[in-house]
Amino acid sequence: MRALVPGLALLLAAAPAFAQSGPSQFQGPGATPAPQAAPAPKPAPPAAAPQGSDRAEALAAARELIEASGSQAQAEAGIHGSMAQMAQIVAQQSGQPVARVTEIFEGILLPEFRARLPELLDAMAASWASHLGAADLRALTEFYRSPLGERLKVATQAVTQESLAFGAQWGQRIGLEALTKHREALRARGLKI
C-alpha cells in the first residue's frame, strides 16, 4: 500500500511536464513507430532560484499554475485512483468485497488524504518556484487559462489515463514473459518462483 503513494505523488507532481511533452512513446503491439523529429535545441539554463520576497512571489505564482494547469484536480483524481487500487489489493487479501473495502477506505482513509493534500500542493509549488521565476510561472498560468491550454488539460487527462492503462498492461505482460523466460535462472539464485 505504501508503495503506491510515492509513485502517485511523483506522477502528480510531474503532470504539467507531461502536458508539455511530445507524442506518447507508448505504442501498442504492431504499431508503426512514429518518425523521430530532429532534436530540439537545448533550453536556456535555468535562472537562479528566487530569494526573499521574489521567492514568496514565485510560490504564489506556482500555486496559481498548479490550479490553472489542472495539477490540483489531477492530484485529487489520483487520490481516488490510488484508493481504488489499494481497495482492490486489500479486498483480495482480506476476502472482503471491493465495495465494502472501498466504503471503509472512503470513511477512514480518504479524509486523511484530503486533509493532507495541501502538503503535496505546497511541495509541488516549492519545486516549480525553485526552477522558474514568478514571471515565467504567470506566463504558464496564462497559457493554461487560454483556449489551447484548456484543451491541453482535457487531452492530458485522457493521454495520462491511456498511458497508465497501457503501461500497467505492458508491465504485467513483460513481467510475466520475463519470469517465464528466466524462471530457471531465478530459481538457481535461490528465488522460489
Side-chain angles (χ1 to χ4, degrees):
M1 192 178 315
R2 287 183 180 167
L4 295 173
V5 177
L8 171 67
L10 179 62
L11 174 66
L12 296 174
F18 290 137
Q20 295 178 9
S21 65
S24 173
Q25 298 300 309
F26 298 112
Q27 296 178 346
T32 305
Q36 297 296 315
K42 290 187 178 182
Q51 302 294 320
S53 65
D54 291 342
R55 172 83 175 159
E57 186 181 355
L59 281 169
R63 286 184 181 96
E64 286 186 41
L65 172 63
I66 289 166
E67 186 276 322
S69 68
S71 295
Q72 181 171 343
Q74 281 190 317
E76 292 166 0
I79 288 170
H80 287 283
S82 178
M83 298 294 273
Q85 287 179 336
M86 290 188 300
Q88 294 226 353
I89 292 167
V90 171
Q92 287 176 348
Q93 292 174 347
S94 68
Q96 294 286 323
V98 174
R100 170 92 171 109
V101 174
T102 299
E103 179 184 329
I104 294 168
F105 276 15
E106 287 177 355
I108 297 173
L109 299 181
L110 187 57
E112 183 76 17
F113 275 89
R114 282 187 178 141
R116 299 192 61 185
L117 181 60
E119 293 175 28
L120 175 61
L121 301 177
D122 286 347
M124 292 167 62
S127 182
W128 278 110
S130 71
H131 293 284
L132 295 172
D136 288 339
L137 293 165
R138 284 192 296 269
L140 284 168
T141 298
E142 186 177 324
F143 165 75
Y144 276 108
R145 290 182 175 152
S146 73
L148 177 58
E150 291 294 329
R151 291 192 304 274
L152 178 62
K153 285 191 289 190
V154 172
T156 297
Q157 290 174 357
V159 168
T160 299
Q161 290 301 314
E162 292 165 5
S163 296
L164 289 173
F166 176 80
Q169 293 172 355
W170 176 83
Q172 285 179 334
R173 186 181 73 244
I174 300 302
L176 288 173
E177 289 173 5
L179 282 173
T180 301
K181 181 177 179 180
H182 301 287
R183 184 178 312 268
E184 294 307 315
L186 295 169
R187 285 180 178 162
R189 288 181 173 84
L191 298 180
K192 296 181 181 180
I193 295 177

